[in-house]
Amino acid sequence: ATEVITEKSTMFKGILGNLLSPAAVLTINNIKSRVGASTGVWLLALLPFACSPGLYTAYSHCHPSPQILAILGIQVGVCGVHLYKQLCLKCNEGEIIKRKPPLLQGFLTHPYTPALAAAGALSILTETNPGLALLSCLLCSRLLYNITQWLFSSFPGSFSLGEGALVGQAAALTLTTAVHNIIHNLFVYHGKLSEDMQISLFIQVAVLLVSGLSCLTFKYSFMCRARNFVPVLCVCGALGAGLASLLMKEWILNWLIVLCDTPTRLTLMFLWVCLSIFSMVITTCASRASGITTTVLRKIYHAVIVVIFAPGILQDPTFTRLAASGAMLFWLLLEVVRVQDIKPFSGVITTAFKIFLDEKDQGKLILSHIYLLAGIATPLWLHPCSKSTAFQDLGSRELALLAGVLSVGIGDAAASIGGTYFGRRKWAGTKKTIEGSLCSLFAMLGCVGGLSVLEFVTVPGALWGRLVVSSVMVAIVEALTDQVDNIVLPLLLYTPLMDP
């Protein structure tokens, strides 16, 4: 018996040691970032600030508790400091200082200390089981370090430091909350699931399965053949349907049919199908013609995605979040197929996506279309819950959900068009013009004014003040930043609009 206990104790220590060991994950020293971009380290703060509204008492009735995402968001923000330290801060000789710090200092500066602090906050503030809280927080840190390392080592030149870390933060938060909520609903929560909770669980199951399939494809070469990839994809789909049915306590196909069977949702789906067909026709024509410039084509898609998202957000944001998540997972899966050269699909995908390339698409990845969708949909994914009367009465909820549409779909496009036709005075050190920034600002405010007149949103005086200040900030950052603005601008506009 003593030998068994000793063996189990040794095994537990080995597992915990592997989980907490920083040496296995913090090994990025000489990264190759995107050419022409600054480090963009300030991007590390965007996602934590955008998640922080979940701490407001106005969302205390939501389930699962938005405080979970807020605490995990703060955790990945603090962990970003460790990433920055490992990636950029080196001694004069170009090597990381290896002198062992004092015990207390070593604990406070350990990469996994934020996870331990977050686990304590999670178990106290949200009444989460301490074991589940510790597992979630350690998993979040581990995923952040591993995914960020993998992005920079596998796709050199595709990201600036800030962009890669931001993508790593988003991936770690998404996967961790998915694991946490699925475990919580399987073993802890036994109440009735609302429609919003069901949609969230369905999305999270899909996220885990697509992530698992992507990991298999990158890790094992035999998965890069269509005859192996397609059957595994079908198996993952079947497993996902089974797990989702178990969580919903009803057959998933019946649930989807009932979910979509409303006049508003049928109308939205018809609109989305028509616009998708239009987009495919435009893409096909552009790939065969030489007269359409890449800039003009990208702005056409900006207009299309505004028409796709704006009605959905104003009429049914919960269903729009489901559709946006499905589109994002589909595009990510296509990028996996393209990068791993799974024939015959990879050639077709490359031909279709190469027309979206701009100066920020470097390395092996083509991310412009993914960034565009992610920027527009980010407010839908971050918003603490679909029903929040305290904020909805002020009109803040609608404006916050439209942050991506306003900043990227309206403001960015207006800046490009205005700068092209009216631009005279350039911002120092850039190609962007002051006139283009003014067009961006007036377009965003004018769009909100029009929606207010049509009574789609209600904008009181205090909210107008925050909107003007945040819109000015977005217009200036759009002109001056060398980071990917499609993912930066929505976060900058969303966070101020979420203040109570």
Side-chain angles (χ1 to χ4, degrees):
T2 304
E3 291 179 358
V4 172
I5 294 174
T6 304
E7 193 174 309
K8 288 185 177 180
S9 177
T10 304
M11 181 179 67
F12 176 76
K13 288 180 180 178
I15 294 173
L16 190 61
N18 289 332
L19 189 61
L20 294 177
S21 172
V25 292
L26 296 177
T27 56
I28 318 169
N29 291 325
N30 298 314
I31 65 170
K32 180 182 178 183
S33 60
R34 182 164 58 82
V35 176
S38 59
T39 58
V41 68
W42 58 277
L43 270 63
L44 293 169
L46 292 180
L47 201 53
F49 276 115
C51 294
S52 62
L55 297 173
Y56 297 153
T57 56
Y59 298 110
S60 58
H61 65 283
C62 301
H63 181 84
S65 173
Q67 291 177 330
I68 296 173
L69 181 61
I71 293 171
L72 291 175
I74 295 171
Q75 176 190 330
V76 298
V78 177
C79 288
V81 177
H82 292 285
L83 274 174
Y84 178 67
K85 177 182 177 182
Q86 184 65 21
L87 294 176
C88 297
L89 301 183
K90 304 176 183 180
C91 64
N92 295 332
E93 291 78 13
E95 297 181 357
I96 299 174
I97 298 175
K98 298 181 180 180
R99 185 177 57 198
K100 189 175 181 179
L103 181 61
L104 180 59
Q105 180 184 347
F107 173 76
L108 293 177
T109 58
H110 194 281
Y112 286 94
T113 298
L116 300 178
L122 203 60
S123 59
I124 295 172
L125 297 178
T126 67
E127 298 182 354
T128 301
N129 179 279
L132 179 57
L134 181 62
L135 173 65
S136 300
C137 294
L138 290 176
L139 177 65
C140 188
S141 289
R142 184 75 177 193
L143 287 172
L144 172 63
Y145 296 134
N146 280 353
I147 291 174
T148 307
Q149 177 190 21
W150 176 73
L151 288 173
F152 283 117
S153 60
S154 300
F155 309 108
S158 294
F159 307 94
S160 70
L161 174 64
E163 292 163 1
L166 178 60
V167 173
Q169 286 178 330
L173 283 176
T174 302
L175 293 171
T176 303
T177 52
V179 171
H180 180 281
N181 290 341
I182 289 173
I183 293 176
H184 182 78
N185 280 276
L186 277 175
F187 302 108
V188 179
Y189 184 77
H190 302 293
K192 182 179 175 64
L193 295 175
S194 66
E195 182 182 83
D196 185 56
M197 294 164 61
Q198 289 178 326
I199 288 176
S200 296
L201 285 172
F202 180 76
I203 293 171
Q204 288 159 355
V205 169
V207 165
L208 291 182
L209 289 171
V210 170
S211 301
L213 178 62
S214 301
C215 289
L216 289 174
T217 306
F218 280 104
K219 188 170 184 178
Y220 299 106
S221 58
F222 73 88
M223 285 290 294
C224 297
R225 293 188 287 271
R227 66 175 179 269
N228 297 325
F229 180 83
V230 174
V232 174
L233 175 63
C234 295
V235 170
C236 288
L239 290 175
L243 178 56
S245 299
L246 178 64
L247 291 168
M248 309 287 186
K249 299 180 176 60
E250 61 178 303
W251 180 234
I252 194 64
L253 185 59
N254 294 336
W255 175 78
L256 284 172
I257 293 173
V258 173
L259 181 73
C260 299
D261 192 18
T262 68
T264 299
R265 291 175 178 176
L266 290 173
T267 302
L268 286 173
M269 287 192 294
F270 177 75
L271 172 66
W272 294 339
V273 169
C274 292
L275 290 172
S276 299
I277 294 173
F278 172 75
S279 300
M280 288 189 287
V281 171
I282 290 293
T283 302
T284 303
C285 295
S287 62
R288 296 178 180 177
S290 57
I292 302 179
T293 64
T294 302
T295 302
V296 171
L297 186 62
R298 286 203 305 271
K299 299 314 170 186
I300 292 175
Y301 280 105
H302 276 235
V304 170
I305 206 164
V306 167
V307 178
I308 288 175
F309 271 88
I313 290 173
L314 293 173
Q315 297 297 321
D316 196 335
T318 302
F319 188 67
T320 305
R321 173 163 58 92
L322 173 62
S325 302
M328 174 58 70
L329 292 174
F330 178 69
W331 280 4
L332 288 174
L333 203 56
L334 289 183
E335 185 63 10
V336 170
V337 172
R338 190 194 68 81
V339 170
Q340 292 300 94
D341 196 22
I342 301 178
K343 300 183 184 327
F345 312 112
S346 57
V348 178
I349 298 171
T350 300
T351 302
F353 284 168
K354 69 180 181 181
I355 60 176
F356 295 99
L357 289 171
D358 64 7
E359 69 277 2
K360 294 178 182 176
D361 277 307
Q362 300 173 17
K364 295 167 61 176
L365 299 177
I366 298 178
L367 297 173
S368 289
H369 59 294
I370 295 176
Y371 284 148
L372 177 60
L373 175 60
I376 298 285
T378 289
L380 290 168
W381 296 328
L382 289 179
H383 200 274
C385 79
S386 62
K387 296 180 180 178
S388 177
T389 55
F391 278 67
Q392 191 169 0
D393 291 341
L394 297 175
S396 179
R397 173 173 174 261
E398 287 82 358
L399 278 186
L401 293 178
L402 287 169
V405 173
L406 292 172
S407 59
V408 175
I410 303 296
D412 188 28
S416 178
I417 296 171
T420 300
Y421 291 101
F422 308 110
R424 296 293 183 271
R425 302 172 184 84
K426 292 185 178 181
W427 290 94
T430 73
K431 298 179 181 179
K432 304 294 182 68
T433 64
I434 296 176
E435 290 81 2
S437 299
L438 290 174
C439 288
S440 173
L441 174 62
F442 292 143
M444 288 187 284
L445 297 179
C447 181
V448 174
L451 292 174
S452 178
V453 169
L454 296 174
E455 298 184 349
F456 284 112
V457 297
T458 303
V459 189
L463 185 56
W464 268 113
R466 296 205 307 272
L467 175 65
V468 170
V469 172
S470 55
S471 297
V472 170
M473 177 176 63
V474 166
I476 294 175
V477 170
E478 188 277 334
L480 300 181
T481 187
D482 55 7
Q483 307 298 307
V484 176
D485 49 14
N486 284 351
I487 57 174
V488 171
L489 302 183
L491 293 172
L492 286 174
L493 186 59
Y494 170 82
T495 304
L497 294 180
M498 285 296 295
D499 286 337

